[in-house]
């Protein structure tokens, strides 16, 4: 099974959709801040959670719940606004912002520092910038900032993020079970 968490009215084809609102296409109506979710343990091969996690109350509990329902080796694709994006601040329902290092907390080698009974391997992470047509953000494209961010992402976040803002971050995580 594949699960689209916080799918809203645009559920991904081939996925079961879960959301707090009963939009057309939502298969499971449930408040994602209430645990456990009505999904069996180890029953999901892939989770998509796009532009939803930043609205939920407790990131650690949500990630733990996703780990519970994923099969061993199951993957979760996460899209969240980057901390430099104006989208992070204009939506008052956002509970937190994210950086490229936000999910390092869940890596298996960090369990001694942050004790917990679940972990994820980070398969990939990358920044998404505003489209070239968004005139206010053209300099990021014209000056090669996307290439810098791709090859030196932590340099980008530390020194360039508030000059050339990113739009969002995409993470692909694999459940370690």
């Amino acid at each position: 099974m594949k699960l689209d968490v916080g799918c809203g009215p645009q559920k991904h084809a081939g996925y079961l959709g879960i959301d707090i609102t009963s939009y057309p296409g939502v298969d499971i109506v449930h408040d994602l801040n209430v645990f456990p979710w009505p999904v069996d343990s180890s029953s999901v091969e892939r989770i998509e959670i796009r532009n939803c996690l930043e609205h939920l109350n407790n990131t650690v509990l949500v990630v733990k719940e996703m780990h519970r329902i994923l099969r061993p080796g199951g993957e979760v694709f996460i899209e969240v606004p980057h901390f430099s994006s104006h989208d992070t601040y204009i939506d008052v329902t956002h509970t937190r912002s994210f950086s490229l290092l936000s999910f390092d907390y869940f890596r298996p080698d960090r369990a001694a520092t942050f004790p917990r009974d679940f972990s994820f391997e980070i398969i990939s992470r990358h920044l998404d910038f505003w489209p070239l047509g968004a005139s206010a953000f053209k300099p990021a494209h014209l000056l090669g900032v996307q290439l810098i961010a791709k090859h030196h992402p932590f340099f980008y976040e530390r020194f360039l993020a508030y000059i050339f803002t990113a739009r969002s971050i995409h993470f692909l995580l694999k459940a370690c079970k």
Side-chain angles (χ1 to χ4, degrees), residues 45-63:
E45 64 185 84
R46 183 173 171 95
I47 295 172
E48 298 266 337
I49 181 167
R50 297 174 184 259
N51 299 304
C52 174
L53 189 56
E54 66 273 14
H55 295 276
L56 301 176
N57 295 335
N58 189 320
T59 301
V60 174
L61 291 179
V62 172
V63 173

Side-chain angles (χ1 to χ4, degrees), residues 29-176:
V29 177
H30 182 77
D31 182 347
L32 297 169
N33 287 308
V34 176
F35 306 99
W37 296 347
V39 178
D40 292 337
S41 296
S42 300
S43 64
V44 177
E45 64 185 84
R46 183 173 171 95
I47 295 172
E48 298 266 337
I49 181 167
R50 297 174 184 259
N51 299 304
C52 174
L53 189 56
E54 66 273 14
H55 295 276
L56 301 176
N57 295 335
N58 189 320
T59 301
V60 174
L61 291 179
V62 172
V63 173
K64 182 177 184 175
E65 184 64 5
M66 290 191 295
H67 188 272
R68 179 188 72 79
I69 66 175
L70 280 169
R71 294 178 180 163
E75 295 180 340
V76 57
F77 177 85
I78 300 168
E79 180 181 352
V80 289
H82 186 258
F83 68 80
S84 69
S85 172
H86 73 276
D87 284 350
T88 297
Y89 304 103
I90 63 173
D91 189 336
V92 298
T93 66
H94 288 182
T95 61
R96 64 159 295 143
S97 57
F98 293 88
S99 83
L100 286 164
L101 294 174
S102 291
F103 291 95
D104 281 26
Y105 175 89
F106 303 106
R107 289 184 359 213
D109 61 332
R110 304 293 300 270
T113 308
F114 306 109
R116 63 195 172 315
D117 57 353
F118 67 99
S119 61
F120 283 89
E121 177 186 347
I122 298 172
I123 303 300
S124 67
R125 55 180 145 203
H126 77 271
L127 292 167
D128 181 32
F129 285 85
W130 295 93
L132 189 56
S135 61
F137 303 100
K138 259 188 195 171
H141 299 275
L142 298 176
L143 298 176
V145 174
Q146 280 185 295
L147 287 175
I148 293 170
K150 180 178 181 177
H151 296 290
H152 306 284
F154 308 113
F155 175 86
Y156 164 79
E157 280 196 336
R158 183 149 188 207
F159 298 108
L160 300 175
Y162 286 112
I163 300 168
F164 303 104
T165 61
R167 182 177 187 180
S168 59
I169 314 172
H170 298 179
F171 295 94
L172 182 60
L173 310 178
K174 183 167 84 171
C176 298

